[in-house]
Amino acid sequence: MLASCKREQVPAIPYVRTIKFILHTEKDFSNVNDNITFSLYIRNSSKVLLDSAIAPMKIKDIPNATKQLVFEKKVYNDNSKLAAGFRYTIENVGSSWHIDTLMAGEQFKTIDYSFQ
């Protein structure tokens, strides 16, 4: 007598989540010579997963949408909610940010930030 089992395939959770960061501006800052430093930022509920500075530049050098800066980062998938985005500091002015959310289970996110 022969017997066989048929196992159901359980979909595997991908080991990484991908975040695409896009930075550009739609405004004319051609006369603004202040220095600005952007950083890419990813955090879960307990720790910072990525805080990576982009080389400092002049505000007038932030590219328009046709020459946008694009970065893609992968993080380990622990299936948690993530905060991700851009933080920036303008020299002698202050700091600010643009942060978005990846919900638990969301595998890919594009964060398209138009600096104002």
Side-chain angles (χ1 to χ4, degrees):
M1 179 171 189
L2 295 171
S4 67
C5 295
K6 192 174 190 180
R7 296 173 95 197
E8 287 188 36
Q9 294 292 330
V10 177
I13 297 174
Y15 289 106
V16 295
R17 297 165 84 177
T18 303
I19 304 169
K20 181 187 273 187
F21 297 87
I22 301 173
L23 175 64
H24 58 92
T25 189
E26 296 172 19
K27 291 196 172 187
D28 179 6
F29 290 112
S30 59
N31 293 324
V32 183
N33 286 311
D34 295 328
N35 291 322
I36 188 167
T37 302
F38 288 94
S39 63
L40 308 178
Y41 181 79
I42 304 172
R43 174 180 182 82
N44 66 17
S45 62
S46 61
K47 64 182 175 181
V48 174
L49 304 174
L50 174 73
D51 190 0
S52 181
I54 300 169
M57 65 181 88
K58 301 283 186 192
I59 292 176
K60 68 180 183 178
D61 295 330
I62 297 171
N64 62 29
T66 62
K67 297 178 183 178
Q68 60 199 6
L69 298 175
V70 179
F71 305 92
E72 191 170 286
K73 298 295 178 185
K74 295 182 183 298
V75 294
Y76 177 73
N77 183 9
D78 64 357
N79 209 30
S80 65
K81 183 177 175 182
L82 299 177
F86 293 93
R87 295 188 315 179
Y88 59 91
T89 301
I90 301 173
E91 191 175 291
N92 299 318
V93 175
S95 299
S96 193
W97 54 88
H98 171 81
I99 304 293
D100 204 339
T101 303
L102 278 82
M103 300 308 291
E106 192 173 5
Q107 299 302 311
F108 182 81
K109 180 79 170 195
T110 297
I111 300 174
D112 187 347
Y113 179 50
S114 178
F115 178 78
Q116 305 295 316

